[in-house]
């Protein structure tokens, strides 16, 4: 029977000097094409690493996207460089990075009607919808 998993995995150590400043990683996510690896931190920031030809290059720090921790990140499955984030507040923020991963801009800042704390978010497979789960259910 053929194995579905590789016989060995390649490991890579990625160093983030900012983590040494009392910040911890909360969520780690790949985009749908496997060209971006992102993680959110307790200081309200997000770091994105570009992955190209077997190497991590061009790290981008997005500082203070939220006042509190970035609770979740989800990449748009139809756009390699677009992702949505939630903090521990009623907002969903959508960002896009440049193709070279050097800059970013905010596309949307959506305040949800429910004032509850957002916990999880997911794009639909088609990329047209975002589902959000908050603390009130």
């Amino acid at each position: 029977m053929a194995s579905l998993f590789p016989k060995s995995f390649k490991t890579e150590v990625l160093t983030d000097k900012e983590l040494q400043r009392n910040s911890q990683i909360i969520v780690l996510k790949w985009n749908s094409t496997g060209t971006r690896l992102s993680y959110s931190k307790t200081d309200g920031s997000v770091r994105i690493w570009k992955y190209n030809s077997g190497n991590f290059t061009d790290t981008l720090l997005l500082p203070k996207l939220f006042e509190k921790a970035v609770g979740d990140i989800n990449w748009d499955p139809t756009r390699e460089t677009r992702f949505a984030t939630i903090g521990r507040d009623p907002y969903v923020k959508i960002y896009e990075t440049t193709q070279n991963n050097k800059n970013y801009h905010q596309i949307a800042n959506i305040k949800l009607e429910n004032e509850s704390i957002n916990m999880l978010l997911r794009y639909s497979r088609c990329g047209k919808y975002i589902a959000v789960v908050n603390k009130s259910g």
Side-chain angles (χ1 to χ4, degrees):
M1 178 193 295
S3 174
L4 297 177
F5 298 101
K7 291 182 181 181
S8 65
F9 288 93
K10 178 184 175 189
T11 60
E12 184 86 27
V13 176
L14 302 175
T15 304
D16 183 349
K17 294 176 184 170
E18 301 292 325
L19 285 176
Q20 299 169 358
R21 298 185 184 151
N22 298 326
S23 182
Q24 297 176 338
I25 293 175
I26 300 173
V27 176
L28 179 70
K29 300 281 178 89
W30 284 99
N31 70 351
S32 63
T33 59
T35 60
R36 303 284 187 285
L37 178 64
S38 60
Y39 55 83
S40 67
K41 301 191 300 185
T42 54
D43 66 2
S45 68
V46 167
R47 181 163 306 269
I48 300 172
W49 295 84
K50 186 175 180 180
Y51 186 74
N52 188 9
S53 301
N55 296 305
F56 286 96
T57 62
D58 303 320
T59 180
L60 176 63
L61 177 66
L62 291 72
K64 285 307 234 181
L65 300 184
F66 291 89
E67 289 300 314
K68 297 180 183 178
V70 177
D72 201 6
I73 302 169
N74 198 241
W75 289 87
D76 183 333
T78 65
R79 301 234 177 169
E80 178 182 16
T81 58
R82 183 175 291 176
F83 63 96
T85 60
I86 56 170
R88 304 291 190 216
D89 61 21
Y91 291 91
V92 174
K93 298 179 182 181
I94 302 173
Y95 295 90
E96 183 124 31
T97 67
T98 55
Q99 195 64 34
N100 66 4
N101 210 47
K102 298 290 184 192
N103 294 300
Y104 69 95
H105 64 277
Q106 187 177 61
I107 294 173
N109 186 13
I110 305 162
K111 185 171 192 250
L112 301 179
E113 292 179 17
N114 188 328
E115 292 289 327
S116 185
I117 296 171
N118 293 325
M119 303 299 287
L120 299 169
L121 83 154
R122 295 293 179 269
Y123 269 98
S124 63
R125 184 173 285 183
C126 66
K128 292 181 181 179
Y129 307 100
I130 297 175
V132 177
V133 175
N134 60 38
K135 209 167 188 176
S136 66

